[in-house]
Amino acid sequence: MKLMKLLPLLVIGMLIFQSCNRTEQEETSANLVKSFDNKVLHDWSELFLRIDKDALGFRPTPGPRALAYINWATYEACVPGMPEYNSLKNLPQFVEANIPDFDTKQTMYWPEVVNEVQSYLMSKMFEKVDFFKSDKGSHLTNAEVQQLIQNLKIGNEKEFLTKTNTVTFTNSKAWGESVARAVWNWSTTDKWGHEAYLNVLSNDPAKGQFYDWRKFSLDAQGNRLPGRWTPTNDNPDGGMFPYAGKWRTFANFESNKICRAPMSYDDKPGSRYFVENEEVYNRAFTNLTFDEEYVGQFWSDDLFGLTFSPPSRLLSCLDQIMVNDNSKLDKAIYATALLCLALNDFGVCCWNSKFYYNVERPEHFIKDVMKHPEYEPPLDHPYTGVKGITPAFPAYPSGHSTFGGGGFYAIAQVYGNNTRFTDRCHEGRTEFYGAPKTYNTLSEAGTEEALSRVPLGVHIRQDCVEGIRYGIEIASRVAALPWKK
């Protein structure tokens, strides 16, 4: 009888215990980054892409640099809630960032942590940037950019306050800001990279930055030396970011900053050098097919005000892949940080190699040696009217190919090379044919992006092949960082 009387109390006790245990499990689960979807990170990446389109001086190398700091900071701010991942902050190349210690007693609402880091650093990175202006197309001003950043930040905050308590929200906001501020302060100590977008040609002797391309490319009489790069119509005053090779890297260091040597210059018909330039002339000028023009323009992203920049294109592709994958927030943060650190290192290593080897663009060889002065690359700016554009820096190795070959390799380290995706980056464009393209593997997309520069008329084949190889080499070092436990 006594047992029968005690039975209801035992049942009630068990129910209370189960309820408490479930509550603890729910709180523990809610305090993990993987409990959330990728929307907050996706929205910030898409805003960066929108701003990047018009940001003068941000392409091709300052954009990747900004993305690296923004998204590594996001990773470090959230890694306390990502038990399968390691912090990188104590590695020698990161330790000077002085990331603050996390208070394990505090509960975080991780989307707000992401929101605070992204808004703080994005505002700082674009703070002094000038923006493209044209009477065609739709373009942003600096004030509009800062307002867009604030609008997204505040809109997210209002939503997140309805999903968590005030204490957790306040703690999350403060933690995110503390990490972002530390990373920003560290970014400013990079003498060569910080605010380099303000001096694209590095022609400011007062800052100890002056690059005179003439002494590397012209003889005593002012004639172009055979095979050497000289400025083009895209920037006739010099080359863009000649000192980018001195910027901070995250997984690639001095011994890694030079790619393989290019083939020797040879102006004899039938030589490999001549034949590869001849291929450009035939495919980009005399016999340009619709399919090759489509591929060249689809992957171009060269033009301010028209699309986001070529390196940022990889972020757009990653955004599409993570949405298709329904990636949880932890996976999305990891993939984006890995890609963006790689993008930074691609820019530094590739540009260091470009200005070290100082190889001419095919435009110069075709006009001067092959005697086709009428030749122009099939790349025109629909807003400014400038025609026959060749990017304003040396050719070897190809930046597109380094970013594309390496970038898709980096994404594949998270999602697998056999990921099939349809790239809708330029769907609906009217200025050029931007119909979506589907790829069965990520390496297929990277190879097509790289080789698209040949029919676009701005690279010979060797530039692209070495770019792919070098990009994969660079990305492999980033992927090898101790991200996972």
Side-chain angles (χ1 to χ4, degrees), residues 391-426:
F393 33 82
Y396 182 85
S398 159
H400 259 73
S401 306
T402 307
F403 287 119
F408 279 107
Y409 176 87
I411 297 171
Q413 303 316 294
V414 181
Y415 291 92
N417 186 52
N418 290 329
T419 296
R420 189 174 189 268
F421 88 106
T422 299
D423 187 354
R424 302 182 181 277
C425 283
H426 299 318

Side-chain angles (χ1 to χ4, degrees), residues 171-190:
N171 290 342
S172 304
K173 184 179 175 68
W175 168 243
E177 182 179 341
S178 69
V179 174
R181 186 186 301 110
V183 172
W184 171 251
N185 290 338
W186 184 47
S187 170
T188 66
T189 66
D190 179 8

Side-chain angles (χ1 to χ4, degrees), residues 316-329:
S316 178
C317 291
L318 174 59
D319 280 354
Q320 296 172 77
I321 290 168
M322 72 170 61
V323 168
N324 292 340
D325 178 68
N326 292 317
S327 298
K328 293 300 184 181
L329 185 57

Side-chain angles (χ1 to χ4, degrees), residues 53-65:
K53 175 177 74 71
D54 292 331
L56 294 176
F58 241 58
R59 66 182 67 194
T61 47
R65 181 183 183 277

Side-chain angles (χ1 to χ4, degrees), residues 180-450:
R181 186 186 301 110
V183 172
W184 171 251
N185 290 338
W186 184 47
S187 170
T188 66
T189 66
D190 179 8
K191 171 189 171 184
W192 294 93
H194 178 58
E195 296 182 348
Y197 58 82
L198 296 175
N199 188 15
V200 171
L201 302 181
S202 296
N203 56 1
D204 187 353
K207 293 184 178 179
Q209 297 183 9
F210 181 74
Y211 185 83
D212 185 1
W213 61 269
R214 295 167 184 81
K215 73 177 184 179
F216 301 105
S217 300
L218 305 181
D219 63 19
Q221 289 71 45
N223 301 310
R224 188 170 71 89
L225 294 168
R228 302 290 180 85
W229 174 84
T230 51
T232 62
N233 64 344
D234 194 37
N235 202 328
D237 297 325
M240 297 172 68
F241 303 109
Y243 295 124
K246 297 179 180 290
W247 299 4
R248 181 179 287 141
T249 51
F250 301 104
N252 293 267
F253 308 105
E254 288 306 313
S255 61
N256 312 135
K257 287 184 180 180
I258 294 292
C259 68
R260 292 175 179 173
M263 65 174 139
S264 299
Y265 174 84
D266 193 334
D267 62 0
K268 297 181 182 63
S271 68
R272 180 185 162 198
Y273 195 90
F274 193 101
V275 167
E276 289 201 5
N277 279 277
E278 194 171 42
E279 178 190 16
V280 174
Y281 178 70
N282 290 333
R283 292 179 63 191
F285 191 73
T286 62
N287 190 32
L288 180 64
T289 66
F290 173 80
D291 287 342
E292 291 193 320
E293 184 175 18
Y294 168 32
V295 168
Q297 292 185 355
F298 183 77
W299 287 109
S300 171
D301 298 312
D302 290 278
L303 307 176
F304 279 109
L306 184 62
T307 70
F308 38 64
S309 66
S312 299
R313 173 67 168 274
L314 277 298
L315 179 63
S316 178
C317 291
L318 174 59
D319 280 354
Q320 296 172 77
I321 290 168
M322 72 170 61
V323 168
N324 292 340
D325 178 68
N326 292 317
S327 298
K328 293 300 184 181
L329 185 57
D330 62 337
K331 184 177 181 180
I333 288 171
Y334 162 53
T336 306
L338 193 161
L339 172 64
C340 292
L341 290 186
L343 290 175
N344 176 84
D345 284 16
F346 296 151
V348 175
C349 296
C350 181
W351 257 248
N352 190 64
S353 298
K354 280 179 177 290
F355 282 92
Y356 178 83
Y357 291 118
N358 200 37
V359 174
E360 68 184 352
R361 291 281 177 167
E363 175 181 350
H364 292 128
F365 187 88
I366 292 169
K367 287 179 174 178
D368 299 345
V369 177
M370 295 176 62
K371 306 302 181 185
H372 294 298
E374 76 284 2
Y375 172 81
E376 293 292 345
L379 179 60
D380 305 334
H381 200 309
Y383 299 157
T384 66
V386 177
K387 298 183 180 298
I389 295 171
T390 292
F393 33 82
Y396 182 85
S398 159
H400 259 73
S401 306
T402 307
F403 287 119
F408 279 107
Y409 176 87
I411 297 171
Q413 303 316 294
V414 181
Y415 291 92
N417 186 52
N418 290 329
T419 296
R420 189 174 189 268
F421 88 106
T422 299
D423 187 354
R424 302 182 181 277
C425 283
H426 299 318
E427 189 171 21
R429 296 304 298 244
T430 58
E431 303 91 342
F432 60 92
Y433 188 62
K437 297 200 71 179
T438 299
Y439 301 93
N440 292 315
T441 66
L442 298 181
S443 58
E444 178 188 346
T447 299
E448 182 179 277
E449 176 175 6

